[in-house]
Amino acid sequence: MSTAAKSIREAFVEASSFLGKLGVSEAASCVELLLQHLLSCSRTELLFRFPEQFPMELAETWRQFVERKAAGEPVQYITGEQDFFGLPFTVSPAVLIPRPETELLVEALLHEGSRLFPQGAPLLADVGTGSGAIPVTVAHARPAWRVAASDISAAALEMARVNAQRHGVAARVEWLEGDLLEPFIARRIAPDILVSNPPYIPDGDLPALQPEVRLFEPHTALFGGALGLDLYRRMISQLPQLPRIPTVVGFEVGIRQAEAVAAMLRAAADWDEIRFVPDLQGIDRHVIAIRSRD
């Protein structure tokens, strides 16, 4: 990338063309996000600043940003941030980048929790929390609720704590290190609402994944065994070991996995309702199981 004097617009066009020729998906959008981060401005402010001269003191950082993107690195890891449910979350290669479809799962659980516990303070437990997007969002949106979250990765839990602190809910989320439901079982914690977005990509799908995902996101947060169902099977088998079966269980699932996960839930406990929540592409992306309160 040239470091000669140029306008911000010219830097945008040059980088977009460079990345586009390399086959980077949505190159212009990526460059726009990187420029917003570099210049600490909104999209609207960026457009107004297009005629300005590109700050030469930022030229080397900008070159590095574009080269990292050219190598396939996700924009979110370059900027260190991803929005989720209207909140900015700090992310790094230690955690999976929060996806927009997971916002639909949070929305469904907030609705069900408010409906089933209108006067109470349900305990929501997030298993495999990663960046902490789910528990931090819930704690932020429902100040009366109690929230706990677990992860097998100490690095992920540290990132989640950073995000909890960032959004002022650090004192209201309990963090547990351990595998799936084991830390809840060991401490005799009884969640009213159990949520998890576990690794669900079948192991054999690795070669077909986009390079951004395949080469940069943590594989332990992506792959769920031969059919992608191993983590659901293990978690659901652990449900009876909790002090009581949760009132609500919500899982994010992969393509064509919803019915298989629902069948596992039906075999594990009696539910009043099991329903699917489709994502914006119409794929059954979330499984919500609800049972009568004890």
Side-chain angles (χ1 to χ4, degrees):
M1 299 294 297
S2 170
T3 57
K6 67 188 75 171
S7 69
I8 293 173
R9 181 194 301 276
E10 288 171 332
F12 168 80
V13 171
E14 180 185 39
S16 298
S17 176
F18 173 69
L19 294 176
K21 289 176 180 177
L22 292 176
V24 173
S25 177
E26 300 180 343
S29 296
C30 291
V31 172
E32 197 172 89
L33 289 170
L34 291 173
L35 276 172
Q36 288 177 52
H37 178 72
L38 183 77
L39 301 174
S40 301
C41 65
S42 68
R43 184 175 188 273
T44 300
E45 291 169 335
L46 176 63
L47 295 176
F48 275 112
R49 293 185 62 181
F50 263 5
E52 296 179 12
Q53 184 173 357
F54 189 91
M56 289 305 296
E57 67 273 16
L58 298 178
E60 178 58 24
T61 301
W62 178 240
R63 183 187 64 79
Q64 293 174 14
F65 279 9
V66 175
E67 288 185 354
R68 289 170 67 181
K69 185 62 231 174
E73 188 171 354
V75 167
Q76 294 90 338
Y77 288 159
I78 299 172
T79 64
E81 192 165 281
Q82 169 68 16
D83 281 354
F84 183 85
F85 221 84
L87 299 173
F89 280 82
T90 302
V91 296
S92 78
V95 298
L96 197 69
I97 298 166
R99 265 52 173 192
E101 54 264 29
T102 308
E103 295 176 341
L104 300 173
L105 176 60
V106 172
E107 184 176 34
L109 295 177
L110 290 174
H111 171 77
E112 294 299 344
S114 296
R115 180 178 69 86
L116 295 167
F117 301 90
Q119 306 301 324
L123 171 60
L124 178 139
D126 178 36
V127 180
T129 194
S131 67
I134 291 176
V136 170
T137 298
V138 169
H140 188 271
R142 296 289 188 271
W145 288 21
R146 297 165 295 146
V147 182
S150 69
D151 205 289
I152 197 170
S153 166
L157 286 174
E158 184 56 37
M159 181 64 66
R161 289 188 181 96
V162 167
N163 284 312
Q165 185 70 38
R166 181 175 186 177
H167 295 296
V169 299
R172 295 185 37 237
V173 182
E174 182 178 6
W175 306 103
L176 306 172
E177 185 175 345
D179 187 32
L180 300 181
L181 302 189
E182 288 178 1
F184 299 98
I185 294 167
R187 293 166 177 79
R188 304 298 295 164
I189 295 173
D192 299 298
I193 303 170
L194 181 73
V195 57
S196 184
N197 176 17
Y200 56 67
I201 298 175
D203 293 347
D205 287 1
L206 173 61
L209 295 179
Q210 293 180 330
E212 284 192 352
V213 177
R214 185 179 72 248
L215 300 177
F216 291 94
E217 296 201 63
H219 285 195
T220 54
L222 291 171
F223 297 102
L227 299 177
L229 298 172
D230 287 5
L231 280 296
Y232 304 105
R233 188 173 293 108
R234 289 178 54 207
M235 269 190 287
I236 292 169
S237 72
Q238 292 174 325
L239 286 176
Q241 300 175 54
L242 293 168
R244 63 174 182 272
I245 301 292
T247 300
V248 181
V249 172
F251 290 138
E252 182 165 317
V253 300
I255 297 173
R256 295 183 296 276
Q257 292 178 344
E259 186 52 55
V261 172
M264 294 180 203
L265 285 165
R266 292 188 192 101
D270 293 325
W271 306 93
D272 297 328
E273 176 188 6
I274 295 180
R275 62 184 176 87
F276 302 153
V277 177
D279 63 18
L280 298 180
Q281 284 72 49
I283 298 167
D284 287 332
R285 182 62 67 182
H286 310 294
V287 179
I288 309 294
I290 302 170
R291 65 193 298 272
S292 299
R293 294 173 59 184
D294 295 332

